[in-house]
Amino acid sequence: MIAAGELRYRTCSLCDAMCGLAVTVDGGAVTQIRGDADDVFSRGHMCPKGAALRELHEDPDRLRSPMRRTAGGWEAVPWDEALDEAATRLAAVSRAHGTDAVAMYSGNPMANNHGGALGVQALLAALGTHNRFDANSQDSNPKIFAAMQMYGDGLSITVPDIDRVQHVLMLGANPAVSMGSVMSLGDVRARLRGVRERGGRIVLLDPRRTETAALCDEHHFLRPGSDAALLLAMLHTLFAERRVDIAALRMRATGIEALAAAARRFAPERVEDVTGVPASVIRRLARELTAPSSIVYARVGLCQSEHGVLASWLVEALNVVTGNFDVPGGMMFASPAVDIGPIARVLLGNAWGRWRSRVRGLPELAGSLPSAAMIEEMETPGAGQVRALVTFAGDPVLSTPNGPRLGRALAGLEFMVSVDPYVNATTRHAHLVLPPVSALERSHFALLMHSVAVRNSVKYSEAVLPAAEGALDDYAILTELAVRVAGKRLSAGTAGRALTRVLRAATPSADAVLDALLRAGTYGDRFGARPGGLTLAKVRAAPHGLDLGALRRCGPEKVRMPRGRVELAPEVYLRALPGLERWVAAPRAPLVLIGRRHLRAMNSWLHNVASLVKGPDRSGLLVHPDDARERGVVDGSPVRVETHVGSVTVRAKVTDDVMRGVVSLPHGYGHGAAPGGPRIASTLGGANVNVLTDETRVEAILGDSILTGVPVTVAPG
Ligand SMILES: Nc1nc2c(c(=O)[nH]1)N[C@H]1C(S)=C(S)[C@@H](COP(=O)(O)OP(=O)(O)OC[C@H]3O[C@@H](n4cnc5c(=O)[nH]c(N)nc54)[C@H](O)[C@@H]3O)O[C@H]1N2
Ligand SMILES: Nc1nc2c(c(=O)[nH]1)N[C@H]1C(S)=C(S)[C@@H](COP(=O)(O)OP(=O)(O)OC[C@H]3O[C@@H](n4cnc5c(=O)[nH]c(N)nc54)[C@H](O)[C@@H]3O)O[C@H]1N2
Ligand code: SF4
Ligand SMILES: [Mo]
């Protein structure tokens, strides 16, 4: 049934799929949210989370005004007072202890919030700190690093040309649930189904028989953390069986011999035990990639593992070696209307290791340090110790290793301010929480996702509802904080106030920034020099979006290496291979932990939406029947999961959907009951999985968090 009222169109900002929504508004309230069948990218697709935007907007636990933590609980504070207090205290810490004493953590929703993404850059510039953290070291860093090393640009991110590909080998991704990651799909299920409908195949390697396995032709269990070994064995096969067109490859790539030499050490027989995949299957999977339009696509299951940086390199290498790189039907590059590449290169730098964390010496990547360093940077006294923190759209107590210890470190900070609509496990430690308007009250432009989309398109979404009286969006909060911090860092007196006024007047609106980037971009009107080209006004006039065509070859525009050739064997990876060889030969832990995502959740933060959390408890530990029997674990009963870092007690679900020797727990649970916190979320079962993960044991090259393949013990609890 279609509700009466006025229809407004909007792209959903909850995940990377960019679903177009048709929102019915009646009497100032949202009465219905449906998929927009006319959306050029998503063609009507949506998931249950899209409809939940209404409940999120109406959630009484969502903060509507800045809140100050006091001994007696939270008190509402007027915006001007809250912003001034935050800026004064941040500037004071910076002046007394140096710029690095103030740290910032930005979380995942920044990727779907253009105002937030732009505003965070403004605030980071005002703070001038090297202690910048974000969710990438729990997520995509290995992919960004591979792009930097092999293509010469961390923003040259390959995406599957899913509408034309014929064969997909998928590892460590669950798009039936995640709706695609670093692969914005729009019409997710139809696009995956489409591969098979045109006679193509999808093969999945995953330690769990996932929801995606049901959409694939073939699924094999793969032991967590063993992807790099498996991919090397596949390369071994291709080189040993002379299935690589070396002459053609020489035109496209360098480092061929070094890659082949590395692969030679990983015969399929040598890795079948550690991967759990028979050598004959590994050989076949490799040979299948030699047919035209055959790709390897991998995501977070690789990135979060101990050898994820190596594995992410090898995924790209395989696609180049088989000739399925930057060609239709292969892995390609998006050509977005707003290309963030040039700005990111200026603001973040396209580099690695320009500075290191003070205590452990972990390297920055594209301007951010690994989150696993946050705890020690706050706990360890001395010059440069982090004494104040800004968080934006994140919950690192639930999302980074050894969350409880991070929580204790946060409680000891001199000052903390969080830009977030909720009191959560992290923001409960803030002195001030500054909430933005709800997603329906702000405009939306997918600044990042168009750069990783499987088809080129552009769309600007107007706010569906007018913002509540006096409420601010993320861009306004962050830029206002930025100009006040900049002024107060200069001086507490007149000069500081004058600088703030000048900076405020010079700060463009988020729309002005978008308009400039659009007009300067590939499809832009070049400020009048190319009549007919895009402007923001033109994009706004198309509420269902504008289709800009299939992915196209990019060549040296994306491969920014000498003579446009990909480097297949960067030194940094070759140096790490002996470590992988030792791991392959080492005794294996009897039981390792992997993660899990659910369709009706988004990391830690949709757990307060009644329509999404209803139904069976999804927070339990999946255990293979043989592993359960050996440990006396019974389906439905409590079990204690333990590592040397901590332990949690959760309910067991015995199932052969997980591989023998593997248990699975979702992340994002364990909200606890914080005063002023979300009430529904605090009553859910489940535990914070990052009680178990270790911030001191990180990936060897980048220092990324190891969140999968974690050795655990399990016993009846
Ligand atoms: N063990 C384990 N840990 C993991 C993972 C795993 O698989 N296993 N996955 C990791 C991954 S991939 C990621 S990306 C991280 C995610 O972890 P984080 O990025 O640290 O946290 P989220 O759970 O996404 O929390 C998002 C917060 O942003 C707020 N928020 C939502 N929308 C907005 C908005 O528009 N503006 C503002 N200001 N705030 C908003 C929400 O209220 C919530 O508090 O977790 C990582 N942690
Ligand atoms: N509904 C929903 N959608 C989401 C999110 C959400 O929480 N809920 N989170 C969003 C975020 S932040 C991200 S980063 C994306 C992630 O998007 P995806 O990467 O597609 O999603 P995951 O479900 O984490 O898939 C990872 C898969 O890797 C497997 N795995 C674990 N360890 C290994 C390993 O060592 N090797 C291999 N080969 N596989 C392994 C897991 O069993 C799992 O099936 O999803 C996004 N979309
Ligand atoms: S798939 Fe993602 S973008 Fe689409 S409706 Fe669901 S949450 Fe929103
Ligand atoms: Mo993520």
Side-chain angles (χ1 to χ4, degrees):
M1 198 189 77
I2 299 188
E6 191 193 331
L7 270 178
R8 297 180 188 165
Y9 300 97
R10 169 176 195 84
T11 295
C12 176
S13 53
L14 291 176
C15 87
D16 306 1
M18 297 198 286
C19 295
L21 305 176
V23 183
T24 311
V25 179
D26 197 6
V30 169
T31 51
Q32 191 171 56
I33 300 182
R34 296 157 71 98
D36 174 12
D38 297 323
D39 187 274
V40 297
F41 185 65
S42 66
R43 312 179 295 212
H45 179 275
M46 71 180 283
C47 86
K49 294 186 291 302
L53 282 170
R54 180 180 63 82
E55 273 169 279
L56 274 172
H57 173 73
E58 291 168 1
D59 185 352
D61 297 339
R62 181 172 67 78
L63 304 177
R64 263 71 171 180
S65 124
M67 303 300 274
R68 181 192 285 130
R69 186 161 51 82
T70 69
W74 295 97
E75 65 178 21
V77 197
W79 270 108
D80 189 54
E81 189 182 324
L83 287 164
D84 217 63
E85 182 175 325
T88 303
R89 295 191 65 180
L90 291 173
V93 170
S94 181
R95 289 231 301 267
H97 303 288
T99 46
D100 292 342
V102 180
M104 176 147 193
Y105 175 90
S106 316
N108 172 264
M110 180 170 73
N112 284 302
N113 181 332
H114 69 287
L118 296 170
V120 162
Q121 293 313 317
L123 184 54
L124 284 172
L127 291 171
T129 177
H130 290 98
N131 282 314
R132 308 151 160 218
F133 303 91
D134 55 43
N136 276 339
S137 62
Q138 296 105 269
D139 187 347
S140 320
N141 270 353
K143 176 103 178 160
I144 295 168
F145 187 63
M148 236 178 229
Q149 293 294 324
M150 301 174 72
Y151 313 138
D153 191 337
L155 285 142
S156 291
I157 298 293
T158 51
V159 290
D161 183 13
I162 203 81
D163 290 337
R164 290 178 287 194
V165 73
Q166 282 300 113
H167 182 91
V168 184
L169 176 65
M170 198 185 292
L171 304 103
N174 189 10
V177 163
S178 71
M179 296 289 148
S181 177
V182 193
M183 167 174 75
S184 288
L185 281 171
D187 198 354
V188 180
R189 279 172 179 274
R191 282 200 152 98
L192 292 178
R193 237 186 2 250
V195 176
R196 298 176 70 191
E197 281 169 6
R198 56 179 179 269
R201 297 181 78 239
I202 309 180
V203 178
L204 180 67
L205 292 173
D206 197 297
R208 178 165 75 88
R209 195 179 303 109
T210 60
E211 299 77 357
T212 298
L215 305 175
C216 296
D217 297 271
E218 210 177 304
H219 165 255
H220 300 273
F221 285 128
L222 175 71
R223 210 155 262 129
S226 69
D227 303 80
L230 174 109
L231 294 161
L232 279 162
M234 290 177 63
L235 282 162
H236 175 105
T237 305
L238 295 177
F239 284 114
E241 297 182 358
R242 300 184 187 286
R243 290 173 192 271
V244 180
D245 182 346
I246 301 279
L249 188 53
R250 272 194 218 295
M251 313 287 288
R252 298 191 299 270
T254 51
I256 304 168
E257 284 71 24
L259 180 69
R264 223 170 283 136
R265 303 182 63 83
F266 290 83
E269 282 72 17
R270 194 169 166 212
V271 306
E272 64 181 354
D273 188 49
V274 77
T275 58
V277 183
S280 58
V281 175
I282 297 177
R283 288 208 166 82
R284 174 169 64 78
L285 296 177
R287 288 172 197 144
E288 284 171 355
L289 292 180
T290 59
S293 285
S294 303
I295 59 159
V296 187
Y297 163 75
R299 259 311 280 142
V300 111
L302 272 75
C303 288
Q304 297 176 335
S305 78
E306 185 176 352
H307 302 292
V309 171
L310 288 176
S312 300
W313 155 52
L314 295 162
V315 167
E316 306 291 328
L318 260 170
N319 287 319
V320 175
V321 163
T322 60
N324 290 293
F325 170 80
D326 198 22
V327 290
M331 289 301 275
M332 299 192 79
F333 298 104
S335 309
V338 169
D339 186 356
I340 52 169
I343 354 167
R345 277 190 283 273
V346 173
L347 286 177
L348 309 175
N350 194 17
W352 169 58
R354 286 164 299 172
W355 67 88
R356 289 181 173 262
S357 66
R358 175 182 62 114
V359 179
R360 217 185 321 171
L362 297 179
E364 66 74 43
L365 177 69
S368 297
L369 290 168
S371 311
M374 276 194 292
I375 292 174
E376 66 211 17
E377 293 302 327
M378 292 175 193
E379 286 181 349
T380 315
Q385 179 184 5
V386 169
R387 294 161 192 266
L389 176 72
V390 184
T391 72
F392 169 75
D395 195 351
V397 168
L398 295 189
S399 69
T400 65
N402 205 349
R405 185 164 172 189
L406 178 65
R408 291 191 293 277
L410 298 180
L413 289 173
E414 278 177 32
F415 182 66
M416 174 172 162
V417 56
S418 294
V419 181
D420 201 292
Y422 286 100
V423 172
N424 65 26
T426 297
T427 62
R428 66 188 294 184
H429 298 291
H431 296 85
L432 286 167
V433 182
L434 310 176
V437 294
S438 82
L440 295 176
E441 292 169 300
R442 64 167 165 85
S443 61
H444 177 66
F445 184 88
L447 200 53
L448 205 64
M449 295 312 155
H450 285 300
S451 306
V452 293
V454 299
R455 189 175 174 89
N456 295 315
S457 69
V458 62
K459 180 171 157 186
Y460 179 97
S461 307
E462 309 289 343
V464 165
L465 299 171
E469 178 79 21
L472 301 180
D473 64 19
D474 285 300
Y475 186 75
I477 298 169
L478 292 161
T479 53
E480 186 56 29
L481 208 47
V483 300
R484 291 188 194 209
V485 165
K488 288 173 197 286
R489 275 187 61 196
L490 175 71
S491 113
T494 333
R497 283 196 296 276
L499 177 64
T500 294
R501 275 196 304 277
V502 170
L503 289 175
R504 186 182 290 132
T507 303
S509 69
D511 281 350
V513 176
L514 281 183
D515 186 46
L517 293 172
L518 260 172
R519 299 180 75 176
T522 312
Y523 313 86
D525 81 340
R526 304 282 156 90
F527 306 95
R530 197 163 63 195
L534 291 182
T535 61
L536 187 61
K538 254 193 197 155
V539 174
R540 284 174 96 148
H544 309 288
L546 295 169
D547 184 36
L548 301 171
L551 301 183
R552 57 174 179 77
R553 294 182 84 144
C554 289
E557 196 189 308
K558 290 289 179 179
V559 183
R560 297 169 163 256
M561 298 292 268
R563 296 170 55 204
R565 289 193 299 177
V566 173
E567 174 53 53
L568 282 173
E571 259 306 305
V572 60
Y573 297 121
L574 299 179
R575 276 200 306 272
L577 285 174
L580 178 65
E581 283 193 68
R582 281 193 296 279
W583 184 82
V584 166
R588 275 199 315 275
L591 209 55
V592 295
L593 177 71
I594 63 168
R596 191 162 85 243
R597 289 183 152 75
H598 294 125
L599 181 62
R600 292 170 166 270
M602 177 52 67
N603 299 321
S604 71
W605 76 278
L606 295 185
H607 284 147
N608 209 48
V609 178
S611 70
L612 295 181
V613 295
K614 71 172 191 234
D617 175 26
R618 293 181 281 265
S619 64
L621 182 82
L622 308 185
V623 194
H624 187 275
D626 296 345
D627 292 319
R629 203 173 309 115
E630 276 175 16
R631 290 163 180 80
V633 166
V634 179
D635 187 47
S637 66
V639 278
R640 194 176 146 88
V641 190
E642 193 166 351
T643 65
H644 62 284
V645 181
S647 75
V648 297
T649 300
V650 289
R651 224 157 265 288
K653 179 157 174 39
V654 177
T655 166
D656 63 6
D657 281 345
V658 280
M659 189 177 186
R660 181 94 210 266
V662 175
V663 290
S664 163
L665 261 188
H667 70 286
Y669 284 87
H671 301 271
R679 283 167 287 187
I680 300 175
S682 71
T683 63
L684 289 182
N688 178 2
V689 67
N690 286 313
V691 164
L692 302 169
T693 48
D694 186 349
E695 85 282 16
T696 65
R697 223 187 115 247
V698 292
E699 186 282 326
I701 297 173
L702 299 182
D704 286 345
S705 303
I706 300 174
L707 304 171
T708 188
V710 176
V712 291
T713 58
V714 169

